[in-house]
Amino acid sequence: MSDLEAFRSETRAWLEENCPATMRSGVGESLTSGEGDICWGGRKFQFKSEDQKLWLERMGSRGWTVPTWPTEYGGGGLSKDEAKILQEELRRIKAKPALVSFGIWMLGPALLKFGTHEQKLEHLPKIARGEIRWCQGYSEPNAGSDLASLATKAEDKGDHYIVNGQKVWTSYADQADWIFCLVRTNPDDKHNGISFVLFDMESEGVSTKPIQLISGYSPFCETFFDNVTVSKTNLVGEENKGWTIAKYLLTHERTGISDMGMPAPLNSLAVEKLGTIDGELEDKMLRHQIAEHEIDAASFVFTMERAKDEAKAGGDMGAFSSMLKGYGTEINKARHELIVKVNGSDAFEWEGQFSNNGEIARSWLRTKANSIEGGTTEVQLNIIAKRILDLPA
Amino acid sequence: MAMILNEEQQLLKESAEGFFNEKAPISQLRQLRDDKDETGYSKELWTEMSEMGFAGLLVDEDHGGTGFGVMGAGIVAEAMGRTLSASPYFASSIVGASLIKMAGNDTQKSTLLPAIAAGETIVTLAVDETSTHNPERTSVKATSAEGGYVLNGMKTFVPEGHVADQIIVLARTSGDAGDANGLSLFLVDRRAAGVIADRTVMSDSRNWAKITLEGVKVSAENLLGEEGAAMKALGPVLDKANIILASELLGIAQECLDRTVAYLQERKQFGVLIGSFQGLQHRAAQLFSEIEVTRSAVMKAQQMAEMGGDVSWFASLAKAKASKTAELATNEAIQMHGGIGMTDEFDIGFFIKRARVAQTLYGGFNYHADRFARTSGY
Ligand SMILES: Cc1cc2nc3c(=O)[nH]c(=O)nc-3n(C[C@H](O)[C@H](O)[C@H](O)COP(=O)(O)OP(=O)(O)OC[C@H]3O[C@@H](n4cnc5c(N)ncnc54)[C@H](O)[C@@H]3O)c2cc1C
């Protein structure tokens, strides 16, 4: 038996023993909508069940929440091939993710690349075990798509900074423990005057105010900083060189947002809900729309697979992540439009049994943010035009 | 199988692109068109292609081919899409060879496959009878006669039909138009008595023909595969053919994008390069995205076909997606070129004319989206 085969059978046995039965019902639509029954971890997190807690502890203790990170930083230390096997085995038993977090898919990769050894030792294991939940302090009221216009100021006070300003659209700021934040350390240079800092959301002078979304969820906040003290040990990379880190992190964010996996086929939903005549959906127009969509969606899933294979072979993802982000999020929105069409009037029930208390409508509305958060579709198209197609400014 | 080209495939891609760029640029197709060339392809090019091994990509080494498989054949087709080179490659090396491999007996294989791989014999398939693809609706009749059959009827949209040596004719030995059963394949010599091949002049300046069969006598040895069970071989071969057409359409789309981007980088209006206008940047970026996604669909289908088994779902997915994207790419290319895009003198217009024909051959977007839905269970 090859090493990989041995790894697979050990993994399978371990999962068999350690993944609680209630954690084996798949992710469902709620993951694509970003809400619902997800384990986010963190100091304030209320576990939905004892099993959810157990599942996180077990996966976290093996470092399998972040399988490829080095073991010294709380990771699983797996090779890419082993990590792929782990993922396949998790998918095989329809395991729910033990932990979903901005720490894992955004901050972690940035710290691994740009952080000091001390910073990695301090923060990465806590991310891996779901102990500290992070939020992203990038956007400001006047710095959205034009992120480099941010104004939140960090004054140099020797061994620390004093931070003043306001962030907006900070997802889960009210539930997060720490924030990774872009601040201005030089007012005279737009891109080379930004620094990347980390601090505790319980620091003196940090406050948050929830904002409600059209979906009825309230996942994000206005975030205010009033003379917040941030130690310089929490500066990642060099002062004024935070833009590089910010961009690196954004490519991870974008790849993450676009990775919807192979969602349950729309057609089985439609067949279940609407029935068929001679094996074909009765609503011919809807059948056509679904087919057209599923062809695009499957092609996109193959594209994610190809991008991963290319990355594995050493290719540089670079601006290609913008294409994945733009296309993937538009596909996801289109998919939810179709889910709504298939469900007819039931889809719009805000409360009630046909819609699982409005889950269909709320998910549908939530997907509208997919093409805004992490950089809008228009901004992704700008990036493709300039960085890939080399079109003039 | 990883979704990346291996070293051998990468080399094939480079050599194919270099070859067609040098030996068969669009000017060659233009020349063939303007000269109203009788064959519609350059015999010299076809000989060189055969020497390069392109004609035998799907023929195994025992029969004189290179056995490169569907991925290799797709890579070459994509390169041909980029320069619109005209040759019997698709008709003979893809469709002809695959059908003989699938359905042929030992004698048919050992006589025809080496000749196809060497580019000496051109074999094509005559399947459609009306302007829309629908093999089941075949009504060309094959009636038993002593020692063989007699064929009567008409076929249309036959690639290389007027230059092929052998035409594989789909005909009905029993049942009625609409039945999937009762269809049989016959090898018919184009020069046989009663075969009338009328060359049609098409928008893509390529070779096509209408074939009329008037009491054409063929012997029992000319039956290809089992009588009445043609779809068993034809189905998988048409899947393969559609994957190769999708590869060609991908090449066309990619070339349209590349040429358009180059134009956006050099054409000035309002005192600036038009490529600096966001309205155009976004459309180019969207087209780029569609092409990348199409590339994945095509590559996936090629790989699945290489692995064997039923690939109808993947083939229809790839052909549908490639048809949609080629349509977008060719339309956008003309629009973004402005007036010059509409002129015959400029090459971009050749792509739309070829793309639509390749899209339509063996079923366009609607046909394949419908088939995709059916194979998906709705
Ligand atoms: C659900 C959700 C969660 C979020 N979470 C976070 C978070 O955790 N942390 C964080 O920092 N931010 C977060 N964001 C903010 C997000 O990154 C911004 O909303 C986004 O970058 C767009 O900025 P904006 O909202 O200011 O829109 P604007 O930049 O004002 O854009 C308005 C419109 O103008 C278009 N536009 C702007 N500039 C251009 C241009 N150059 N070319 C073409 N079109 C252009 C946009 O595409 C858009 O259509 C979140 C947003 C949402 C919706």
Side-chain angles (χ1 to χ4, degrees):
Chain A
M1 197 161 34
S2 80
D3 288 354
L4 285 180
E5 281 166 54
F7 178 78
R8 187 185 293 279
S9 60
E10 281 161 28
T11 302
R12 190 173 290 189
W14 188 88
L15 290 177
E16 212 41 69
E17 197 165 316
N18 289 285
C19 182
T22 59
M23 293 289 108
R24 300 188 193 189
S25 49
V27 289
E29 287 299 333
S30 51
L31 192 67
T32 47
S33 69
E35 312 301 334
D37 198 15
I38 297 171
C39 176
W40 290 99
R43 296 192 292 237
K44 299 174 198 158
F45 186 68
Q46 305 266 327
F47 287 98
K48 312 277 183 316
S49 67
E50 203 45 45
D51 282 351
Q52 192 183 45
K53 184 157 178 263
L54 204 61
W55 181 221
L56 171 60
E57 277 168 13
R58 288 175 176 168
M59 286 290 279
S61 67
R62 293 213 90 174
W64 280 4
T65 49
V66 285
T68 57
W69 293 8
T71 46
E72 73 171 316
Y73 302 136
L78 303 187
S79 68
K80 280 183 180 165
D81 286 332
E82 288 169 335
K84 194 168 168 211
I85 289 174
L86 172 62
Q87 229 205 345
E88 283 164 8
E89 291 302 314
L90 285 165
R91 212 178 297 136
R92 204 180 59 86
I93 60 167
K94 293 207 179 85
K96 284 183 190 293
L99 178 66
V100 170
S101 96
F102 293 178
I104 292 178
W105 52 283
M106 288 158 60
L107 179 63
L111 272 186
L112 280 168
K113 190 169 167 85
F114 298 101
T116 62
H117 180 58
E118 289 70 33
Q119 286 169 337
K120 291 178 198 172
L121 273 184
E122 170 65 24
H123 297 296
L124 294 177
K126 291 178 189 162
I127 291 173
R129 293 192 299 265
E131 289 167 10
I132 292 294
R133 181 170 178 180
W134 288 84
C135 65
Q136 176 188 34
Y138 273 28
S139 306
E140 297 183 8
N142 291 314
S145 299
D146 184 15
L147 183 57
S149 290
L150 61 93
T152 292
K153 194 168 72 180
E155 272 177 280
D156 193 335
K157 297 284 179 190
D159 65 342
H160 68 278
Y161 298 105
I162 296 293
V163 175
N164 277 290
Q166 185 197 338
K167 295 285 171 184
V168 73
W169 319 133
T170 331
S171 293
Y172 308 109
D174 53 342
Q175 293 162 57
D177 307 309
W178 277 62
I179 186 167
F180 51 94
C181 195
L182 294 179
V183 293
R184 183 152 297 287
T185 35
N186 176 2
D188 301 324
D189 190 331
K190 190 173 175 183
H191 288 91
N192 291 311
I194 294 171
S195 298
F196 191 98
V197 295
L198 316 172
F199 54 92
D200 195 318
M201 290 294 278
E202 278 175 12
S203 309
E204 184 75 35
V206 178
S207 59
T208 60
K209 203 167 125 208
I211 309 169
Q212 198 168 27
L213 285 182
I214 53 174
S215 58
Y217 296 125
S218 173
F220 58 14
C221 300
E222 288 180 283
T223 308
F224 304 92
F225 310 128
D226 180 15
N227 287 322
V228 181
T229 303
V230 178
S231 160
K232 278 201 182 162
T233 53
N234 286 333
L235 170 72
V236 181
E238 274 175 63
E239 189 175 270
N240 291 328
K241 293 278 181 279
W243 187 241
T244 317
I245 306 172
K247 278 196 303 187
Y248 178 78
L249 190 144
L250 275 174
T251 58
H252 276 269
E253 177 177 15
R254 285 167 186 163
T255 316
I257 291 177
S258 55
D259 193 359
M260 57 179 184
M262 182 65 106
L266 267 179
N267 47 297
S268 33
L269 182 77
V271 167
E272 218 171 274
K273 188 89 186 175
L274 305 171
T276 54
I277 294 179
D278 295 331
E280 292 184 6
L281 288 177
E282 200 180 337
D283 183 334
K284 295 280 175 257
M285 296 300 282
L286 192 55
R287 177 174 182 265
H288 182 107
Q289 288 176 344
I290 291 176
E292 184 153 15
H293 171 75
E294 296 271 74
I295 286 167
D296 287 345
S299 303
F300 179 71
V301 170
F302 300 150
T303 307
M304 290 297 293
E305 184 183 337
R306 181 159 71 88
K308 281 181 192 155
D309 286 342
E310 274 171 14
K312 219 173 127 183
D316 178 17
M317 180 73 80
F320 200 74
S321 66
S322 285
M323 180 258 144
L324 298 176
K325 201 276 177 183
Y327 204 95
T329 54
E330 294 298 334
I331 285 274
N332 200 38
K333 284 199 300 181
R335 176 181 164 72
H336 278 264
E337 285 297 341
L338 283 167
I339 289 175
V340 163
K341 286 202 180 90
V342 167
N343 282 289
S345 62
D346 290 349
F348 306 108
E349 259 193 20
W350 206 244
E351 291 167 8
Q353 57 169 342
F354 292 121
S355 62
N356 188 17
N357 265 328
E359 178 61 26
I360 300 169
R362 291 167 201 270
S363 293
W364 159 63
L365 289 167
R366 177 59 180 79
T367 59
K368 299 301 169 198
N370 293 164
S371 51
I372 298 172
E373 59 198 331
T376 65
T377 294
E378 291 74 24
V379 166
Q380 308 312 318
L381 293 173
N382 289 347
I383 294 173
I384 295 168
K386 302 224 166 59
R387 305 250 312 273
I388 298 180
L389 302 179
D390 201 21
L391 289 173
Chain B
M1 209 185 286
M3 293 264 283
I4 37 182
L5 298 185
N6 64 29
E7 212 171 310
E8 195 185 23
Q9 290 159 345
Q10 189 61 39
L11 280 174
L12 178 67
K13 182 183 158 76
E14 281 156 26
S15 80
E17 283 176 354
F19 176 85
F20 290 111
N21 260 328
E22 188 193 334
K23 309 275 180 176
I26 299 183
S27 53
Q28 186 179 70
L29 178 67
R30 182 186 287 277
Q31 189 80 48
L32 291 164
R33 179 196 70 174
D34 293 348
D35 294 352
K36 297 196 167 35
D37 185 276
E38 242 173 71
T39 59
Y41 70 96
S42 151
K43 288 210 164 121
E44 213 183 332
L45 175 76
W46 184 230
T47 307
E48 282 179 284
M49 281 176 70
S50 310
E51 283 163 7
M52 290 283 289
F54 293 160
L57 286 172
L58 291 185
V59 175
D60 42 76
E61 288 173 43
D62 293 349
H63 288 108
T66 46
F68 239 107
V70 183
M71 277 208 83
I75 287 167
V76 172
E78 186 186 336
M80 292 172 62
R82 298 193 67 138
T83 69
L84 298 177
S85 73
S87 76
Y89 173 77
F90 177 76
S92 194
S93 307
I94 304 298
V95 182
S98 297
L99 261 180
I100 290 160
K101 245 165 72 175
M102 270 305 277
N105 57 35
D106 287 347
T107 321
Q108 289 162 337
K109 283 189 202 167
S110 60
T111 49
L112 284 169
L113 289 178
I116 290 175
E120 285 155 8
T121 296
I122 297 173
V123 178
T124 189
L125 166 71
V127 50
D128 289 324
E129 298 175 7
T130 65
S131 56
T132 40
H133 178 65
N134 193 336
E136 279 93 4
R137 217 187 284 143
T138 294
S139 67
V140 163
K141 272 230 149 33
T143 0
S144 299
E146 71 279 17
Y149 303 83
V150 178
L151 304 181
N152 278 294
M154 221 207 45
K155 293 284 180 183
T156 187
F157 208 26
V158 182
E160 322 299 334
H162 80 301
V163 293
D165 301 292
Q166 297 283 321
I167 303 173
I168 301 173
V169 176
L170 181 68
R172 191 161 283 291
T173 36
S174 66
D176 298 311
D179 293 349
N181 292 319
L183 294 169
S184 310
L185 293 165
F186 296 94
L187 276 161
V188 177
D189 195 309
R190 182 176 53 86
R191 294 166 196 90
V195 176
I196 303 156
D198 288 315
R199 180 178 183 182
T200 50
V201 178
M202 306 282 281
S203 69
D204 65 350
S205 315
R206 295 277 298 269
N207 273 352
W208 303 89
K210 288 193 190 328
I211 307 287
T212 312
L213 303 150
E214 287 180 347
V216 177
K217 292 202 183 86
V218 293
S219 75
E221 281 94 74
N222 287 33
L223 180 68
L224 187 66
E226 246 175 274
E227 186 185 294
M231 290 313 284
K232 239 174 35 191
L234 189 61
V237 169
L238 288 175
D239 281 341
K240 215 176 269 186
N242 274 306
I243 293 170
I244 299 300
L245 284 168
S247 313
E248 184 184 338
L249 288 165
L250 174 65
I252 288 175
Q254 184 73 58
E255 185 67 21
C256 282
L257 174 69
D258 292 353
R259 285 171 183 250
T260 302
V261 166
Y263 191 68
L264 297 182
Q265 285 163 336
E266 71 182 36
R267 168 81 175 160
K268 276 194 172 174
Q269 286 294 283
F270 300 99
V272 296
L273 295 170
I274 58 171
S276 66
F277 297 132
Q278 198 179 54
L280 300 188
Q281 288 188 346
H282 281 192
R283 282 162 56 184
Q286 246 148 2
L287 182 54
F288 167 84
S289 306
E290 290 295 352
I291 290 171
E292 286 300 320
V293 169
T294 304
R295 180 171 299 287
S296 314
V298 169
M299 199 165 181
K300 191 75 179 178
Q302 289 171 351
Q303 289 190 337
M304 296 310 288
E306 201 139 301
M307 282 156 63
D310 181 1
V311 295
S312 46
W313 189 83
F314 290 97
S316 281
L317 185 148
K319 179 72 184 306
K321 184 67 194 163
S323 296
K324 196 168 133 184
T325 299
E327 194 155 314
L328 178 73
T330 50
N331 287 340
E332 286 287 73
I334 291 182
Q335 178 65 21
M336 288 195 241
H337 275 87
I340 201 167
M342 286 300 295
T343 61
D344 181 69
E345 194 189 331
F346 200 73
D347 286 341
I348 200 80
F350 278 74
F351 290 94
I352 193 170
K353 292 192 263 188
R354 171 62 192 163
R356 291 303 180 278
V357 176
Q359 283 167 238
T360 307
L361 185 59
Y362 303 155
F365 178 85
N366 287 352
Y367 178 89
H368 285 285
D370 176 76
R371 188 165 174 263
F372 170 87
R374 232 178 322 115
T375 40
S376 304
Y378 62 104

